[in-house]
Amino acid sequence: MTEAPVTLILTPEESHSKANINGINDSSGNGSTAPTAQNQSTTSPKDSKFDPAFTQNVIDATGPKASPRIKKVMASLIQHIHDFARENEITVEEWMAGVEMINEAGRMSDDRRNEGQLLCDVIGLESLVDEITYKLASSATSAPTSTAILGPFWRADAPKREMGSSIVHNVPDGDHTYMHGTVTDYLTGEPIEGAELDVWHTAPNGLYEQQDENQVDFNLRGRFTTGKDGQYSFYCLRPTSYPIPYDGPAGKLLQLLDRHPMRPAHIHFIVSAPNYKPIITQIFDRRDKHLTDDAVFAVKDSLVVDFLPRQNDPKAEFELPYDFKLATFEEAQRNSLVGTTEESASFGAGVVHG
């Protein structure tokens, strides 16, 4: 396939001398329909060179059968994206470059790589949405394990493995690690039986198995289920830092922004259990130099860990003790931010681990 160029040629700043700037213009007058409170425009149409009623007409076209959440979310999106276009006087050429970037992300995406998600990652959107979704509204003294982004390389149906076994297969190098801990209820501290830990990370060459033809299928991946004691254990590798793929729209955007593609060393987890809200998270190696400049803005202090030397174990040079804390659906619903408790605005996309 011939790769379509993704070129963003922005108009020189001088040409924006008459553009609307946030907060300068009054929103009344000229016979326009004022935006509702929830969709208040940041760029008023009063003295605009553009049709002052256009955006509200688009918002008002939403039909009566749309759900309340869809109405709210889409009205806000339309208002903000129209304001963005007016404020920056986006040209047809720039808009088409953006559309092609999105289209190319779609063409590159499959069940092994999600380029659209990676685009969201490099502008921090997935990390922001993750925080909104899992942030507790109350100032509780204890909290569930912090979450982090899913990332574009999760695969469904990773193999179920025996507790204490290894997810490492045919990898000749790397720092072998024994990871272990307990999954508990964050309020009661009681162990959770039947919790599933879905884990995955890169090989020492910085590649996930679906990126590397030399790795066996589902290498460095596995699912483990806790017993009555809530404990888990498995062998993995101490992860390594790596660049996110630079061969698609996300990489091109990083180049346009003059940013590096590096992610700090981390291990991915999805931890779920019956009657508990699943968490998607990552844990990060404290020794990694990219903790402070992660290309996808996912690092949180509570997720930074120390790998310890392991004694008398021929299978591992390091060990990593780490406990996961989950909240029940009821507790999560009671203490979540308002937006996360409203009826979903889902367009039918699948939800990882329900």
Side-chain angles (χ1 to χ4, degrees), residues 150-204:
L150 178 67
F153 292 108
W154 174 76
R155 290 185 67 187
D157 302 319
K160 293 184 178 182
R161 304 191 189 275
E162 291 294 323
M163 196 66 74
S165 65
S166 179
I167 63 172
V168 185
H169 300 281
N170 300 324
V171 179
D173 51 359
D175 296 327
H176 289 256
T177 299
Y178 178 69
M179 185 169 180
H180 58 95
T182 307
V183 182
T184 63
D185 184 299
Y186 96 98
L187 279 181
T188 68
E190 292 296 314
I192 299 175
E193 181 180 4
E196 181 182 272
L197 296 92
D198 188 345
V199 56
W200 68 102
H201 67 77
T202 65

Side-chain angles (χ1 to χ4, degrees), residues 30 32 45-46 48-57 82 86:
N30 272 3
S32 63
K46 180 180 178 182
S48 174
K49 67 186 76 173
F50 310 111
D51 181 353
F54 179 74
T55 295
Q56 193 61 47
N57 288 339
H82 284 208
R86 281 188 289 261

